[in-house]
Amino acid sequence: MRLAGPENLPTAVSGWGSSAVPLQASTAPSGRAGARSRQNKPRPRRYKCGLPQPCPEQHLAFRLVSGAANVIGPKICLEDKMLMSSVKNNVGRGLNIALVNGVNGDLIDVRFFDMWAGDVNELLKFIRTLHEGTLVFVASYDDPATKMNEETRRIFSELGSSVAKELGFRDSWVFVGAKGVQDKSPFEQHTKNSKSTNKYEGWPEALEMEGCIPQRKADGQ
C-alpha cells in the first residue's frame, strides 16, 4: 500500500514531502540455491533509519515500528537516531510518543502513556499545548485506546490522524502528525484487533512505516 504522492499532500505546516511506504516482507529461495544466491548477491545499501532510498535534502528520514503483541516493544527512528526503543528502555504499554522540532529535527521530548491502566490526563497534558509545527511520532504497544476519551481522539485528529476516532482495544497504530495541519496526514497505518485476522493470539500484526518528512521553514512557510 502506497500512500498519497507529493502532489496530493497537505502543505499547511511543512509540505509533507514524499509519501510513506510500509515495508514489505520478502522471502528468500529455500535450500542451498537460496543460500548461494544470498551469498553472491550484494547486500542492498540502506540509508538513514534503514530506508532503501535516501531522502531529499531538507527532509527528515523516519521509521516507525509498533509493538508486537505485548512482547516486543515499539521503535521510533529519526535521521538515523533511535528516539524510542526497548534497548533505550524508554518504551511502554500504550502510546509511545516522540515530539520533534519540525524546523531542525531536534528531539523535544519522549514519553509513553499506559492506555489500559494509566491516567489519560497525563497524555492530555503532554499533547494539549504543542507549539505550531511540532512533529508528533506515535507507535502503539499492546493497547493504545482503552483510556482514550473524546478530547484525546479529537486532538489526534487535529494533528492529522484519520483513525484516532475509531482506534480500539489492542489495535496496532503508527502515525506521524503535526500541530497546525489543515488536512489528514499521509503518514499513518492502522490494523484492527480482530480474532479472524490477528497474527498473534489476541493482537494484530505489528506495523512498520518509513518515509521522508519535509522540514518546516523557520518562518513557518
Side-chain angles (χ1 to χ4, degrees), residues 8-9 13 16 20 23 25 44 70 73-74 84-86 102 104 111 158 216 218:
N8 298 319
L9 304 188
V13 169
W16 287 122
L23 300 178
N70 62 347
M84 301 187 77
S85 70
S86 296
N104 56 26
R111 291 277 302 276
E158 290 173 352
R216 176 186 171 92

mmCIF file of all heavy atoms in Angstrom, residues 8-9 13 16 20 23 25 44 70 73-74 84-86 102 104 111 158 216 218:
data_model
loop_
_atom_site.group_PDB
_atom_site.id
_atom_site.type_symbol
_atom_site.label_atom_id
_atom_site.label_comp_id
_atom_site.label_asym_id
_atom_site.label_seq_id
_atom_site.Cartn_x
_atom_site.Cartn_y
_atom_site.Cartn_z
ATOM 1 N N ASN A 8 -0.342 15.351 -3.891
ATOM 2 C CA ASN A 8 -1.639 15.308 -3.229
ATOM 3 C C ASN A 8 -1.555 15.567 -1.728
ATOM 4 O O ASN A 8 -2.542 15.441 -1.030
ATOM 5 C CB ASN A 8 -2.284 13.926 -3.445
ATOM 6 C CG ASN A 8 -2.532 13.649 -4.911
ATOM 7 O OD1 ASN A 8 -2.958 14.533 -5.630
ATOM 8 N ND2 ASN A 8 -2.259 12.426 -5.351
ATOM 9 N N LEU A 9 -0.374 15.900 -1.234
ATOM 10 C CA LEU A 9 -0.222 16.007 0.206
ATOM 11 C C LEU A 9 -0.486 17.418 0.708
ATOM 12 O O LEU A 9 -0.298 18.386 -0.009
ATOM 13 C CB LEU A 9 1.204 15.576 0.608
ATOM 14 C CG LEU A 9 1.580 14.179 0.136
ATOM 15 C CD1 LEU A 9 2.907 13.777 0.728
ATOM 16 C CD2 LEU A 9 0.511 13.176 0.520
ATOM 17 N N VAL A 13 1.497 22.963 7.032
ATOM 18 C CA VAL A 13 2.549 23.126 8.030
ATOM 19 C C VAL A 13 3.928 22.976 7.433
ATOM 20 O O VAL A 13 4.758 23.861 7.516
ATOM 21 C CB VAL A 13 2.358 22.108 9.183
ATOM 22 C CG1 VAL A 13 3.574 22.080 10.083
ATOM 23 C CG2 VAL A 13 1.144 22.520 10.009
ATOM 24 N N TRP A 16 4.694 18.161 3.901
ATOM 25 C CA TRP A 16 4.555 16.706 3.932
ATOM 26 C C TRP A 16 5.131 16.047 2.694
ATOM 27 O O TRP A 16 4.517 15.165 2.121
ATOM 28 C CB TRP A 16 3.083 16.304 4.045
ATOM 29 C CG TRP A 16 2.448 16.524 5.374
ATOM 30 C CD1 TRP A 16 1.358 17.284 5.618
ATOM 31 C CD2 TRP A 16 2.825 15.981 6.630
ATOM 32 N NE1 TRP A 16 1.035 17.266 6.942
ATOM 33 C CE2 TRP A 16 1.926 16.467 7.587
ATOM 34 C CE3 TRP A 16 3.858 15.134 7.057
ATOM 35 C CZ2 TRP A 16 2.014 16.143 8.930
ATOM 36 C CZ3 TRP A 16 3.935 14.815 8.396
ATOM 37 C CH2 TRP A 16 3.032 15.296 9.316
ATOM 38 N N ALA A 20 4.907 8.037 2.404
ATOM 39 C CA ALA A 20 5.422 6.997 3.296
ATOM 40 C C ALA A 20 5.018 5.657 2.728
ATOM 41 O O ALA A 20 3.883 5.459 2.322
ATOM 42 C CB ALA A 20 4.839 7.166 4.685
ATOM 43 N N LEU A 23 6.970 -1.065 4.888
ATOM 44 C CA LEU A 23 7.946 -2.064 4.469
ATOM 45 C C LEU A 23 7.245 -3.354 4.068
ATOM 46 O O LEU A 23 6.248 -3.741 4.658
ATOM 47 C CB LEU A 23 8.912 -2.352 5.625
ATOM 48 C CG LEU A 23 9.702 -1.146 6.129
ATOM 49 C CD1 LEU A 23 10.565 -1.556 7.293
ATOM 50 C CD2 LEU A 23 10.565 -0.570 5.018
ATOM 51 N N ALA A 25 7.568 -7.516 3.469
ATOM 52 C CA ALA A 25 8.379 -8.684 3.791
ATOM 53 C C ALA A 25 8.801 -9.379 2.505
ATOM 54 O O ALA A 25 8.075 -9.378 1.515
ATOM 55 C CB ALA A 25 7.584 -9.652 4.655
ATOM 56 N N PRO A 44 21.842 -4.962 -0.305
ATOM 57 C CA PRO A 44 21.357 -3.642 -0.728
ATOM 58 C C PRO A 44 21.764 -2.565 0.266
ATOM 59 O O PRO A 44 21.772 -2.780 1.479
ATOM 60 C CB PRO A 44 19.835 -3.816 -0.765
ATOM 61 C CG PRO A 44 19.560 -4.985 0.134
ATOM 62 C CD PRO A 44 20.748 -5.891 -0.006
ATOM 63 N N ASN A 70 2.236 -8.055 23.284
ATOM 64 C CA ASN A 70 2.716 -7.374 24.494
ATOM 65 C C ASN A 70 4.115 -7.861 24.839
ATOM 66 O O ASN A 70 4.514 -7.881 26.010
ATOM 67 C CB ASN A 70 1.765 -7.615 25.669
ATOM 68 C CG ASN A 70 1.660 -9.093 26.035
ATOM 69 O OD1 ASN A 70 2.092 -9.961 25.277
ATOM 70 N ND2 ASN A 70 1.070 -9.380 27.183
ATOM 71 N N GLY A 73 8.727 -4.482 22.096
ATOM 72 C CA GLY A 73 8.409 -3.072 22.168
ATOM 73 C C GLY A 73 8.524 -2.351 20.838
ATOM 74 O O GLY A 73 9.137 -2.845 19.893
ATOM 75 N N PRO A 74 7.950 -1.159 20.743
ATOM 76 C CA PRO A 74 7.987 -0.372 19.520
ATOM 77 C C PRO A 74 9.323 0.331 19.326
ATOM 78 O O PRO A 74 10.156 0.378 20.244
ATOM 79 C CB PRO A 74 6.864 0.642 19.731
ATOM 80 C CG PRO A 74 6.865 0.854 21.209
ATOM 81 C CD PRO A 74 7.194 -0.486 21.809
ATOM 82 N N MET A 84 13.132 6.126 20.487
ATOM 83 C CA MET A 84 12.476 5.278 21.475
ATOM 84 C C MET A 84 12.641 3.816 21.071
ATOM 85 O O MET A 84 12.491 3.461 19.903
ATOM 86 C CB MET A 84 10.987 5.606 21.582
ATOM 87 C CG MET A 84 10.665 7.043 21.962
ATOM 88 S SD MET A 84 8.891 7.334 22.285
ATOM 89 C CE MET A 84 8.737 6.599 23.931
ATOM 90 N N SER A 85 12.964 2.960 22.040
ATOM 91 C CA SER A 85 13.088 1.526 21.781
ATOM 92 C C SER A 85 13.236 0.802 23.104
ATOM 93 O O SER A 85 13.519 1.408 24.140
ATOM 94 C CB SER A 85 14.299 1.221 20.886
ATOM 95 O OG SER A 85 15.506 1.447 21.596
ATOM 96 N N SER A 86 13.085 -0.520 23.053
ATOM 97 C CA SER A 86 13.301 -1.327 24.258
ATOM 98 C C SER A 86 14.747 -1.248 24.716
ATOM 99 O O SER A 86 15.034 -1.256 25.915
ATOM 100 C CB SER A 86 12.912 -2.788 23.980
ATOM 101 O OG SER A 86 11.534 -2.898 23.690
ATOM 102 N N GLY A 102 9.884 20.650 14.140
ATOM 103 C CA GLY A 102 9.679 20.472 12.707
ATOM 104 C C GLY A 102 10.620 21.277 11.837
ATOM 105 O O GLY A 102 10.708 21.037 10.637
ATOM 106 N N ASN A 104 14.202 21.964 12.666
ATOM 107 C CA ASN A 104 15.563 21.418 12.648
ATOM 108 C C ASN A 104 15.640 19.923 12.964
ATOM 109 O O ASN A 104 16.718 19.339 12.921
ATOM 110 C CB ASN A 104 16.460 22.192 13.613
ATOM 111 C CG ASN A 104 15.907 22.218 15.033
ATOM 112 O OD1 ASN A 104 15.161 21.321 15.440
ATOM 113 N ND2 ASN A 104 16.268 23.244 15.797
ATOM 114 N N ARG A 111 7.781 10.278 25.647
ATOM 115 C CA ARG A 111 7.031 9.739 26.776
ATOM 116 C C ARG A 111 6.192 8.566 26.288
ATOM 117 O O ARG A 111 5.850 8.476 25.110
ATOM 118 C CB ARG A 111 6.083 10.802 27.357
ATOM 119 C CG ARG A 111 6.735 11.975 28.057
ATOM 120 C CD ARG A 111 7.097 11.658 29.497
ATOM 121 N NE ARG A 111 5.937 11.266 30.268
ATOM 122 C CZ ARG A 111 5.079 12.109 30.862
ATOM 123 N NH1 ARG A 111 5.248 13.434 30.730
ATOM 124 N NH2 ARG A 111 4.060 11.667 31.566
ATOM 125 N N GLU A 158 -6.924 16.403 15.072
ATOM 126 C CA GLU A 158 -6.455 17.729 14.684
ATOM 127 C C GLU A 158 -4.982 17.711 14.278
ATOM 128 O O GLU A 158 -4.528 18.559 13.508
ATOM 129 C CB GLU A 158 -6.667 18.713 15.834
ATOM 130 C CG GLU A 158 -8.140 19.026 16.092
ATOM 131 C CD GLU A 158 -8.358 19.856 17.333
ATOM 132 O OE1 GLU A 158 -7.365 20.067 18.088
ATOM 133 O OE2 GLU A 158 -9.501 20.289 17.577
ATOM 134 N N ARG A 216 10.034 21.994 8.201
ATOM 135 C CA ARG A 216 9.296 23.263 8.211
ATOM 136 C C ARG A 216 10.314 24.389 8.171
ATOM 137 O O ARG A 216 11.341 24.349 8.854
ATOM 138 C CB ARG A 216 8.453 23.323 9.471
ATOM 139 C CG ARG A 216 7.701 24.635 9.682
ATOM 140 C CD ARG A 216 7.024 24.583 11.051
ATOM 141 N NE ARG A 216 6.459 25.857 11.429
ATOM 142 C CZ ARG A 216 5.216 26.226 11.184
ATOM 143 N NH1 ARG A 216 4.411 25.407 10.540
ATOM 144 N NH2 ARG A 216 4.763 27.402 11.572
ATOM 145 N N ALA A 218 11.778 28.084 8.998
ATOM 146 C CA ALA A 218 11.773 28.826 10.254
ATOM 147 C C ALA A 218 10.679 29.875 10.297
ATOM 148 O O ALA A 218 10.148 30.192 11.364
ATOM 149 C CB ALA A 218 13.131 29.465 10.495
#
